[in-house]
Amino acid sequence: MLNSADTPLRAALRHVALFANLSDAELDLVAARVREKRIERGAFFFHQGEPAENFHILKSGQVRIFQTTPEGTQVLMHFIQSGQMFGAIAAFGVKEYPASAQGDEPSSAWVWNANTMRELVAEIPALALNALEHTAQIIQQLQERVRELQTERVERRVARALLRLARQSGKRIAEGVLIDHPLSRQDLAEMTGTNLYSVSRILSAWEKQGLVSSGRERIILCVPHKLVILAEDLVPPPNK
Amino acid sequence: MLNSADTPLRAALRHVALFANLSDAELDLVAARVREKRIERGAFFFHQGEPAENFHILKSGQVRIFQTTPEGTQVLMHFIQSGQMFGAIAAFGVKEYPASAQGDEPSSAWVWNANTMRELVAEIPALALNALEHTAQIIQQLQERVRELQTERVERRVARALLRLARQSGKRIAEGVLIDHPLSRQDLAEMTGTNLYSVSRILSAWEKQGLVSSGRERIILCVPHKLVILAEDLVPPPNK
DNA sequence: CGCGCTCTTGAGAGCGTTCAACTTGCGTGG
DNA sequence: CCACGCAAGTTGAACGCTCTCAAGAGCGCG
């Protein structure tokens, strides 16, 4: 189904969402300026506060994007999966990375210099449109998160976070849907604006009800359908 | 200081940040497809959930962007000032407006059809770069807000919100810096994820300390400097 | 000059955090 | 191979920030 004359690199980039609808010539422009960077598990592609020099797309592995507050508490913004861009906000305007990007596993990424990426965007209309589309989606997700933080209780926020993770990296297994990467109580807390104790209590309660099955850095949603009800239930007063 | 051959419309658009660095010919392209829309105070440019057909830039007046949850509570996302774009997220990808845009005053906006704006972005590289830069800034602001909601107490969030408003639409007067548009306790609550009672208590306390002077939908920051300390203070335990 | 919307303030309750102590799981080195 | 140790997770108890509800005061517009 591929152009048989594709170079391996061009073929790989062709499947990245950001480069959808680019012509072969345009893909070559993009490919000509890319370089690759690998990091070990736990290492960083960049740190919060560093000058934002690069634009990244994850090639393999998994990366977490988080901010650290002056007080030292962390806020987990995103998990980046293969094919997704990161460090993009910084490349398009801001001068410093507003967050850090750390490998959850050994990871590799395609990297472009920020100025180079801006030139490419200016040269390739389809790339500009794709980039705008993706940033628009990020904005929508962030607005959703603000809305949740402002209006919803902790239990519901945790339910939503798990459902989102299941959609992103869920894996069907016998017992239900496994969140297919290490995920601690602390991680979930940093995603939902609470602490590991509250997350632990909530998961324990759900486990008693058979909704989930969880272990060390491992969570299985057994009855996702009931979590959806928890996350979105509008029935006003539970009449117990 | 302007090109004397400018049409009035071209001259006006030239000063919009989104159209910075566009040539006269490009500005004319943009101007050729614009139309204008006026609304009364309290009326809407668009409602949450409607198909996202238009891209807007505020010409005059003031607009609030907010989301309404299924439960009916509102979350105030932004105040839009003259020259700022809105309804942009929707135009670049999403199919429905994720929020509503309501006039806080009688307001008028330049409006482009969403498809038209996408065509313009594809035709005008400088416009694409500007748009990406602005969406990147919005993302950064939203990340900041998520971080605040997850890690900070109500009082600090309110302090930050006021300082932000002062920066955006503050007006120097004798007593201090006036937030130059009607702003109720309820509005502040919907911006910071609390309720009008807590906001009222906080403002009362600050008023006793002389930090602010507030009245009906009107707030003056008397000692902004001390609010900054409140918003960012790292000194761990205030020893009273 | 009165009606309505905004704001204030008290009292009480509860959700969630904090702290502390303990358990469990897993890798590693003796 | 077992023992040790650290990291992740659990759970109880207590506190307190914030919300909720209720009642009343104040400001402005018509």
Side-chain angles (χ1 to χ4, degrees):
Chain A
M1 63 182 168
L2 287 180
N3 179 342
S4 55
D6 262 1
T7 63
L9 178 54
R10 194 208 281 164
L13 292 180
R14 186 190 299 285
H15 289 295
V16 170
L18 187 66
F19 301 131
N21 306 316
L22 264 62
S23 69
D24 285 357
E26 290 168 337
L27 279 172
D28 285 340
L29 271 179
V30 171
R33 316 250 217 139
V34 74
R35 60 179 211 278
E36 206 173 315
K37 182 170 180 179
R38 301 180 162 278
I39 62 165
E40 292 309 305
R41 177 190 159 96
F44 289 79
F45 280 109
F46 51 80
H47 287 88
Q48 181 174 345
E50 284 177 359
E53 287 165 356
N54 294 315
F55 173 99
H56 305 69
I57 291 182
L58 192 63
K59 187 180 167 191
S60 68
Q62 174 154 249
V63 168
R64 62 174 60 200
I65 307 293
F66 66 89
Q67 293 197 357
T68 306
T69 70
E71 286 82 9
T73 64
Q74 297 194 339
V75 177
L76 227 175
M77 290 291 171
H78 301 294
F79 284 111
I80 302 294
Q81 316 280 347
S82 301
Q84 295 185 321
M85 62 183 190
F86 63 103
I89 317 114
F92 295 123
V94 196
K95 304 136 306 281
E96 296 177 359
Y97 293 111
S100 301
Q102 183 181 28
D104 263 6
E105 316 168 2
S107 301
S108 70
W110 289 297
V111 179
W112 290 262
N113 175 275
N115 287 325
T116 301
M117 184 47 72
R118 279 197 286 267
E119 288 167 23
L120 288 170
V121 162
E123 287 167 26
I124 307 174
L127 177 57
L129 286 174
N130 287 344
L132 274 170
E133 194 174 319
H134 282 256
T135 53
Q137 277 172 22
I138 293 172
I139 289 177
Q140 211 193 3
Q141 287 165 14
L142 283 169
Q143 285 186 339
E144 197 176 312
R145 190 152 163 193
V146 167
R147 193 187 60 226
E148 289 175 16
L149 284 167
Q150 291 205 179
T151 62
E152 293 178 356
R153 303 271 182 73
V154 169
E155 185 182 33
R156 185 166 287 197
R157 299 206 301 266
V158 174
R160 281 194 200 277
L162 281 181
L163 290 169
R164 228 176 272 138
L165 286 166
R167 228 176 294 134
Q168 230 193 10
S169 61
K171 190 176 168 187
R172 272 229 140 280
I173 58 171
E175 304 95 304
V177 178
L178 169 71
I179 310 288
D180 199 18
H181 60 88
L183 182 74
S184 70
R185 309 293 188 255
Q186 178 73 30
D187 291 339
L188 261 177
E190 289 173 5
M191 298 176 70
T192 55
T194 180
N195 56 43
L196 75 163
Y197 308 107
S198 293
V199 170
S200 179
R201 277 180 237 278
I202 288 167
L203 287 179
S204 293
W206 287 348
E207 189 130 23
K208 280 199 189 88
Q209 300 169 49
L211 296 184
V212 305
S213 161
S214 74
R216 193 187 174 84
E217 298 192 323
R218 185 186 154 84
I219 300 180
I220 300 165
L221 313 189
C222 302
V223 199
H225 147 80
K226 288 203 177 173
L227 275 184
V228 173
I229 293 178
L230 258 178
E232 296 178 356
D233 192 6
L234 295 181
V235 184
N239 55 340
K240 172 99 61 24
Chain B
M1 66 182 169
L2 286 179
N3 178 342
S4 55
D6 262 2
T7 62
L9 178 54
R10 193 209 282 165
L13 292 181
R14 185 189 301 283
H15 288 295
V16 169
L18 186 66
F19 301 131
N21 305 318
L22 264 61
S23 69
D24 285 357
E26 289 167 338
L27 278 172
D28 285 341
L29 271 178
V30 170
R33 316 251 218 140
V34 74
R35 58 180 214 279
E36 207 173 315
K37 183 170 179 178
R38 300 180 163 279
I39 61 165
E40 292 309 306
R41 177 190 159 96
F44 289 78
F45 279 108
F46 51 80
H47 288 87
Q48 183 174 345
E50 284 177 0
E53 286 164 356
N54 295 314
F55 174 98
H56 305 68
I57 290 181
L58 192 63
K59 186 181 168 192
S60 68
Q62 172 154 250
V63 168
R64 63 173 59 200
I65 307 292
F66 66 90
Q67 293 196 357
T68 306
T69 70
E71 288 82 7
T73 63
Q74 297 193 340
V75 177
L76 227 174
M77 290 290 170
H78 300 293
F79 283 110
I80 303 294
Q81 316 280 346
S82 301
Q84 295 185 321
M85 63 183 189
F86 62 104
I89 317 114
F92 295 122
V94 197
K95 304 137 305 282
E96 297 178 357
Y97 292 113
S100 301
Q102 184 180 27
D104 263 6
E105 316 168 1
S107 301
S108 70
W110 289 298
V111 178
W112 290 263
N113 175 276
N115 287 326
T116 300
M117 185 48 72
R118 279 197 287 265
E119 288 167 22
L120 288 170
V121 163
E123 288 167 26
I124 308 175
L127 178 56
L129 287 174
N130 288 344
L132 273 170
E133 193 175 320
H134 283 256
T135 53
Q137 276 173 22
I138 292 173
I139 288 177
Q140 211 194 2
Q141 288 165 14
L142 283 168
Q143 285 186 339
E144 197 176 313
R145 191 153 163 191
V146 167
R147 193 188 59 226
E148 289 176 15
L149 284 167
Q150 288 205 180
T151 61
E152 294 178 356
R153 303 272 179 75
V154 170
E155 186 182 32
R156 187 165 287 198
R157 300 206 301 266
V158 174
R160 281 194 201 275
L162 281 181
L163 289 169
R164 230 175 270 138
L165 286 166
R167 228 175 295 134
Q168 230 192 11
S169 61
K171 189 177 168 184
R172 272 230 141 279
I173 59 172
E175 303 95 306
V177 178
L178 168 72
I179 309 287
D180 198 18
H181 61 86
L183 182 73
S184 70
R185 309 293 188 257
Q186 178 71 31
D187 290 339
L188 261 178
E190 288 173 5
M191 297 177 71
T192 54
T194 179
N195 57 44
L196 76 162
Y197 308 107
S198 294
V199 171
S200 179
R201 277 181 236 277
I202 288 167
L203 287 178
S204 292
W206 288 348
E207 188 130 24
K208 280 198 189 89
Q209 299 168 50
L211 297 185
V212 305
S213 161
S214 73
R216 195 187 172 83
E217 297 191 324
R218 183 185 157 83
I219 299 180
I220 299 166
L221 313 190
C222 302
V223 198
H225 146 79
K226 289 204 176 172
L227 275 183
V228 173
I229 293 177
L230 258 178
E232 295 178 358
D233 191 7
L234 295 181
V235 183
N239 56 338
K240 173 111 51 36

